[in-house]
Amino acid sequence: MSQTKKPTNTGALGTLVIVFFFWGFIAAGNGIFIPFCKHYFQLDQFQSQLIDFAFYGAYYVGALGLFVASAVKNKDIMNHWGMKTGIIYGLLTSAVGAALMLVSFNFSGFAGILVSLFIIGLGFSLQQTSANPFAIALGDPSTGSHRLNLTGGVNSFGTMIGPIIVAIILFGHAAKSDADIANASITSMNSLYIGVGALFILSALLFRVSKKLPNVKEEDSFEPAPKAMWLLIFISIVMAVVFGIIFASYRGLQVNEKLSPEVSLRNMWLLVAGLVIMIASFFGANASAQKNAAGWGAMKYPQLVLGMLAIFMYVGVEVTIQSNLGELLKTEAFGGYSENDLAPFISLYWGSLMIGRWTGAITVFNPTKSMRTILWILVPYIAFGITIAVNLIAGNDFTPLYGYAAVIVFQIAGFFLGKEKPTETLMIFGGLGIAAMLIGLFATGKIATYAFLSGGLFCSIMWPSIFSLAIAGLGKYTAQGSAFLVMMILGGAIIPPLQGKLADIPAIGIHHSYWIPVLCFAYLAFYAIRVKSVLKSQGIDFNALEGGGGH
């Protein structure tokens, strides 16, 4: 006997997509802001990547803080607030960060900018923790991933226009020479963050007064996991020590003075050691939980522990490809572009994620099988056309990038081969990501540039594929497992500085630092293969799970 599906609350979903747009707009704008800050503040590549460290590290700190506070009070604080209220608190926190950003632009310098971005990220962490399960709760659970696809598509529109808006604000339409770039002032960003801060506050008011948005709360009771909590605190201490030592090595350096190659190499190995300790801790935790599950909560499930590392690697590779791309494109082998020329490249990278997420969102509209096939071919090129149009309207030269249309064919093929099954889709797109990064490493010029940009195409549908596989079979631990996965956005804070530190070693350089994304994609392909056997051993029908879309 068939059950009636719960209808989607489209009005509430329409309001909710606002926060998904914000995440994308700010995060992608950093792709332009990072190379600008490197030039403006005379930073090395590692220091410039601290923008990502501050922004994405806040996601981890915020989610971990909520988890620890909930453990102390023995109740789920976010659930106690309600998802709607959690989003409002998050928007107001981000508004405080935007206000502090204005102070930093005019008085505090780079350190103040990092603190301000951290506070904005804390607000986004609250929003992310609430908004993803909120989107799922606004309709039938069986179509929850499709709503995430749709919100991910809106998020990707924000990521696509973010670099363009930031470039216009920093450089204007007329910035064509090195002198124009040198004269660009960071205070020109004031207007952006005045507008963004005002929109944060207005959105919070909209959420507060909107009758379309119910203050959804989960029915499941809080499940304590003290062993998991102490493991996460241990990992946090390890990373704090690693970055503390690295930061200390910069103390006393003069402007334009670089670290010695020996110190840079030591710092890189420190980062690698911290990462190895984190990975080993997760695997050790799961092994311990298999013997005695008490106190581990959701971490007793191998699909979740493996999935936490997958989210870490996924967010890390998605962010690091574009965060280091500006420096790569400034080299002669990749065109020798200036800061004001980077916007269309960064925009296309994030536009590539939009292409995949819009395609992944097609199913939410319940098209017929034949129509879905047609849309899988048309929608990617419609999204590509929108990316071109926005760049042309902004006055950007898109000429070097029109040929990228041919690369989109590989993603379309991936959709057909994956058949909306998360294990197959993740394995195929992980393999395509590996191939693309290797082509970029062993080539130069336009071919290599297209290869690195295509990383966006192959990252685009990974978030909900990983998410759905990681929480499959968790039962009453699903909410806790979801919170652990959100914490692993930490990858966006750790992987880019690691690649930046690798790039700072003269014998390696920015081009060959892209071996880091190869390793990330390799783990994602491994996860797809491994989780399939894990779920099968638990009697879970992984083929019935739905994938596609993006966070």
Side-chain angles (χ1 to χ4, degrees):
M1 182 177 177
S2 62
Q3 295 181 334
T4 303
K5 285 191 174 184
K6 177 183 175 182
T8 297
N9 187 336
T10 53
L13 187 61
T15 306
L16 184 63
V17 297
I18 295 171
V19 298
F20 285 82
F21 176 84
F22 279 145
W23 304 340
F25 182 88
I26 299 295
N30 288 343
I32 296 296
F33 197 46
I34 286 170
F36 173 80
C37 283
K38 181 180 180 182
H39 168 83
Y40 191 84
F41 293 108
Q42 300 298 304
L43 310 172
D44 65 21
Q45 190 63 12
F46 168 79
Q47 289 174 304
S48 72
Q49 298 304 303
L50 293 179
I51 288 176
D52 282 334
F53 175 74
F55 183 71
Y56 289 99
Y59 278 81
Y60 174 77
V61 172
L64 179 60
L66 276 175
F67 178 63
V68 172
S70 297
V72 170
K73 291 184 173 292
N74 200 31
K75 66 178 179 182
D76 189 331
I77 290 177
M78 185 62 74
N79 192 46
H80 176 71
W81 290 344
M83 296 177 191
K84 175 179 173 180
T85 302
I87 291 172
I88 292 171
Y89 288 164
L91 286 165
L92 294 176
T93 302
S94 294
V96 171
L100 289 176
M101 188 71 89
L102 296 172
V103 176
S104 301
F105 289 151
N106 294 277
F107 304 106
S108 302
F110 188 60
I113 288 171
L114 296 180
V115 171
S116 303
L117 275 173
F118 180 81
I119 294 172
I120 291 172
L122 278 179
F124 283 5
S125 176
L126 290 175
Q127 296 167 44
Q128 181 96 304
T129 303
S130 301
N132 278 297
F134 202 176
I136 293 172
L138 291 177
D140 194 85
S142 66
T143 57
S145 68
H146 298 317
R147 285 188 293 282
L148 285 179
N149 293 341
L150 187 61
T151 54
V154 175
N155 171 271
S156 294
F157 182 71
T159 63
M160 188 266 291
I161 68 171
I164 296 171
I165 300 299
V166 171
I168 290 173
I169 290 172
L170 279 173
F171 307 119
H173 289 286
K176 296 298 179 186
S177 67
D178 290 339
D180 292 326
I181 296 168
N183 292 330
S185 172
I186 202 162
T187 56
S188 61
M189 292 285 282
N190 284 341
S191 58
L192 174 65
Y193 276 89
I194 289 172
V196 165
L199 286 173
F200 285 147
I201 294 171
L202 287 173
S203 297
L205 290 172
L206 176 61
F207 273 76
R208 179 69 180 83
V209 302
S210 176
K211 295 180 180 179
K212 294 179 179 178
L213 282 167
N215 199 23
V216 177
K217 297 184 179 183
E218 297 287 349
E219 295 180 1
D220 291 342
S221 59
F222 177 71
E223 293 290 341
K227 291 180 181 178
M229 180 184 73
W230 286 112
L231 173 71
L232 292 167
I233 291 174
F234 167 73
I235 290 170
S236 303
I237 292 172
V238 169
M239 287 302 176
V241 170
V242 167
F243 276 92
I245 294 172
I246 293 174
F247 292 158
S249 68
Y250 284 89
R251 193 173 299 152
L253 289 182
Q254 303 299 313
V255 175
N256 283 325
E257 186 180 358
K258 304 297 182 184
L259 292 174
S260 67
E262 294 79 13
V263 174
S264 286
L265 187 62
R266 183 208 68 183
N267 287 348
M268 188 200 73
W269 284 116
L270 270 173
L271 275 170
V272 171
L275 190 57
V276 169
I277 289 171
M278 186 193 77
I279 293 171
S281 297
F282 279 130
F283 280 105
N286 187 250
S288 175
Q290 298 307 305
K291 298 175 182 176
N292 181 10
W296 284 111
M299 279 194 190
K300 66 184 178 182
Y301 294 95
Q303 63 265 40
L304 177 72
V305 175
L306 293 167
M308 289 171 70
L309 289 173
I311 289 289
F312 181 93
M313 295 297 180
Y314 154 69
V315 178
V317 74
E318 177 186 277
V319 175
T320 200
I321 290 173
Q322 67 89 33
S323 291
N324 288 282
L325 189 62
E327 187 65 18
L328 181 72
L329 292 171
K330 287 158 68 175
T331 63
E332 288 302 318
F334 282 81
Y337 294 99
S338 299
E339 279 93 344
N340 66 306
D341 298 319
L342 300 178
F345 294 90
I346 304 299
S347 173
L348 180 57
Y349 175 78
W350 290 109
S352 295
L353 278 98
M354 183 179 76
I355 289 168
R357 291 171 181 174
W358 283 20
T359 307
I362 288 171
T363 311
V364 79
F365 300 104
N366 296 316
T368 62
K369 187 175 180 180
S370 58
M371 178 57 68
R372 183 178 60 185
T373 299
I374 294 170
L375 291 175
W376 273 359
I377 297 170
L378 287 181
V379 168
Y381 287 103
I382 292 171
F384 182 55
I386 291 172
T387 305
I388 294 172
V390 170
N391 274 277
L392 294 180
I393 291 169
N396 293 328
D397 180 12
F398 207 81
T399 304
L401 297 170
Y402 286 115
Y404 190 74
V407 181
I408 297 172
V409 172
F410 292 97
Q411 190 200 50
I412 294 172
F415 270 104
F416 279 99
L417 292 171
K419 300 176 182 177
E420 295 190 292
K421 296 177 180 178
T423 50
E424 282 78 359
T425 299
L426 192 57
M427 183 169 56
I428 290 166
F429 278 73
L432 288 171
I434 295 170
M437 296 303 105
L438 289 175
I439 291 170
L441 280 163
F442 290 103
T444 55
K446 185 176 288 189
I447 291 175
T449 301
Y450 283 7
F452 287 135
L453 288 172
S454 71
L457 291 173
F458 307 132
C459 282
S460 61
I461 48 71
M462 287 185 169
W463 173 273
S465 293
I466 298 168
F467 212 96
S468 61
L469 290 165
I471 64 174
L474 266 58
K476 66 179 182 179
Y477 294 103
T478 299
Q480 187 182 93
S482 298
F484 287 161
L485 291 170
V486 170
M487 288 182 200
M488 290 299 101
I489 291 175
L490 177 69
I494 304 298
I495 301 296
L498 176 60
Q499 184 176 348
K501 183 52 65 181
L502 199 64
D504 282 331
I505 298 173
I508 297 175
I510 187 64
H511 188 186
H512 290 100
S513 72
Y514 273 81
W515 278 105
I516 295 292
V518 174
L519 296 176
C520 292
F521 277 121
Y523 178 80
L524 292 166
F526 160 77
Y527 174 68
I529 297 168
R530 179 73 182 114
V531 76
K532 190 172 183 178
S533 61
V534 167
L535 294 179
K536 187 176 181 180
S537 68
Q538 297 176 14
I540 297 171
D541 184 6
F542 49 84
N543 285 324
L545 301 173
E546 297 179 357
H551 82 292

